Amino acid sequence: MSLRSVALLAAAGAGWAAAELFRLDDVDSSGAYRFFVTALLGFGLYASTRGIEIAEFRTHLRTVVLAVTLGVLAKAAVIFGVLYLVYREPDHVVLAVALAQIDPLSVAAVRLKSRMSDSAKALLAAWASFDDPITVLLTAYFTAFALGAHDTVGSGLTSFGASLFWNAVLVAVAYLAHRVWRARRHTSSDAPRPWPVRWAVRTGLLLLLLAAGFLAVQYALLLALAVIGLFFRPDLGRSLDGLTQVALYTATFAVGVVLVGGVNIGTGVVLGVAAYAAQVVVALVLTIPKVWRGDRMRLALGQQNGLTAIILALLLEPNFPGTIAVVAPAIIVVNLLHALCNGLYDRFAPPVPDDGQRPPERDDRHTARLTRGLRFSNAVVTRFRRPA
């Protein structure tokens, strides 16, 4: 078992022990807990998209759109198919949707150590950051379907549309502030500014970012944070990477806290394995084009779950009691599979260079040698055929 797997288990165990010690049996119904995990999720969304190479994102935008739309639907279908074959329970469709997305905080935390190319990192980060709206929409629809309340689907779509509108408003305000800051920076003189001025500017940008983050968390406008991370990128040095690691283990601790209410180990293990297998199937299909040849397996092994699944489970628990008891252990199973499978693959597979250049395959090298030999032979024959 890898060191990261042990650390994740320790963080989850510490969360369970803390909840047991302080008797936090109803922590999942606490408003403070929901705000805390939503804030962690919002930070993960911003950190994930902030690390995306914009050029790579634009180049592979078509694949990103397919991943966050048809990819999410396909993963939910695969997960539900496995659950239905095992349990024959139609209501498990909501569990499938809750685990169909990729956790952006976990993706951001492992980005620095990943051996994927920049293109694959951009695809996985965008996939993890922008699949949440589709997951939320599917959750609302399938919840109404499972409860037989088909008349609530229209109201759910209306609410989703209103949420998209306010997300767009927050993004527009942040983009306007960003443009004003860039305009003032370019119109100022080229002479270096004194450190108090630089410190004041950096602090002002950070406060503006924190204000946007607070509004996004308070009013559930997390999609806005993901979009803001694509353009609003103040220089934070290496502090963001360190905070991402801290946030990952804090989130795992938060997952462990809800385990104190009881767990359904059997269903949770099946759900976790199905979710990880669904990512393998869907990612291998999406990355058939030759450009992804060196990254297909790492993208296929990229499934991670965390705070998004917990938040969806908290929302589903009133109508589907026992959801948290299944989703919480499933999250741990998925993350353990991710750590173990990627550790084994990295040990036996060569790394992919950052510039995307991959060594030629054996057949390619053999063909190149034959080509050079034929050219040399033709040159020799031509030379001896020349008239004296």
Side-chain angles (χ1 to χ4, degrees):
M1 182 175 291
S2 66
L3 181 61
R4 182 169 179 267
S5 303
V6 174
L8 289 171
L9 276 177
W16 173 84
E20 188 71 31
L21 179 63
F22 295 104
R23 300 184 181 279
L24 303 176
D25 298 333
D26 57 345
V27 67
D28 54 280
S29 60
S30 168
Y33 178 83
R34 295 192 180 208
F35 183 87
F36 178 68
V37 297
T38 305
L40 284 174
L41 176 61
F43 173 78
L45 283 167
Y46 176 79
S48 182
T49 56
R50 191 183 189 276
I52 293 176
E53 293 290 340
I54 299 301
E56 297 289 351
F57 177 76
R58 290 173 177 170
T59 301
H60 304 294
L61 183 59
R62 178 177 176 273
T63 306
V64 171
V65 173
L66 287 174
V68 301
T69 52
L70 297 180
V72 174
L73 284 168
K75 287 171 65 175
V78 171
I79 298 170
F80 175 65
V82 173
L83 290 174
Y84 190 78
L85 286 175
V86 176
Y87 297 104
R88 302 289 178 177
E89 182 59 58
D91 288 350
H92 281 172
V93 66
V94 296
L95 299 178
V97 173
L99 269 288
Q101 38 67 43
I102 304 174
D103 182 54
L105 176 57
S106 301
V107 170
V110 302
R111 181 179 61 244
L112 289 178
K113 297 181 180 180
S114 174
R115 296 184 180 183
M116 288 189 290
S117 66
D118 290 339
S119 299
K121 289 178 182 178
L123 172 59
L124 189 60
W127 191 344
S129 301
F130 296 108
D131 62 358
D132 287 349
I134 304 300
T135 306
V136 172
L137 181 61
L138 289 176
T139 300
Y141 177 81
F142 284 114
T143 297
F145 179 81
L147 295 174
H150 303 290
D151 56 334
T152 63
V153 173
S155 61
L157 291 174
T158 302
S159 177
F160 182 76
S163 176
L164 287 180
F165 171 77
W166 289 113
N167 273 284
V169 170
L170 183 56
V171 170
V173 172
Y175 184 73
L176 179 62
H178 170 70
R179 294 295 298 178
V180 170
W181 168 67
R182 285 180 59 89
R184 289 182 62 87
R185 187 181 66 174
H186 289 307
T187 55
S188 61
S189 62
D190 295 333
R193 291 177 291 185
W195 71 264
V197 176
R198 296 197 304 270
W199 182 85
V201 170
R202 179 178 294 185
T203 303
L205 291 173
L206 183 58
L207 290 176
L208 182 61
L209 182 60
L210 289 175
F214 176 80
L215 290 174
V217 173
Q218 181 68 27
Y219 298 104
L221 304 177
L222 298 182
L223 177 60
L225 280 181
V227 178
I228 289 172
L230 294 174
F231 61 85
F232 196 89
R233 299 178 172 185
D235 184 13
L236 301 177
R238 296 183 178 181
S239 58
L240 185 65
D241 296 327
L243 288 174
T244 303
Q245 297 295 325
V246 173
L248 172 64
Y249 289 100
T250 304
T252 307
F253 179 91
V255 172
V257 168
V258 298
L259 295 176
V260 74
V263 294
N264 187 335
I265 297 294
T267 308
V269 170
V270 174
L271 176 60
V273 172
Y276 200 78
Q279 171 68 18
V280 173
V281 173
V282 173
L284 288 177
V285 173
L286 285 175
T287 56
I288 288 177
K290 189 176 181 180
V291 67
W292 304 110
R293 182 175 56 184
D295 294 302
R296 290 188 74 195
M297 281 308 302
R298 288 191 172 91
L299 287 168
L301 300 177
Q303 178 69 24
Q304 296 180 86
N305 287 111
L307 296 176
T308 306
I310 281 293
I311 291 173
L312 292 175
L314 292 173
L315 296 175
L316 292 169
E317 183 68 22
N319 292 319
F320 302 94
T323 300
I324 295 176
V326 176
V327 170
I331 291 172
I332 296 176
V333 170
V334 168
N335 292 337
L336 286 177
L337 286 173
H338 176 272
L340 292 172
C341 294
N342 281 273
L344 290 173
Y345 187 76
D346 288 342
R347 176 174 297 181
F348 297 107
V352 178
D354 291 336
D355 59 1
Q357 298 292 329
R358 298 177 174 83
E361 299 292 336
R362 182 177 180 181
D363 292 343
D364 295 337
R365 292 197 299 267
H366 183 62
T367 302
R369 286 196 296 267
L370 288 176
T371 302
R372 288 195 298 268
L374 289 173
R375 287 176 179 173
F376 178 77
S377 301
N378 290 333
V380 172
V381 171
T382 302
R383 181 178 179 180
F384 281 99
R385 283 183 176 179
R386 290 177 180 174

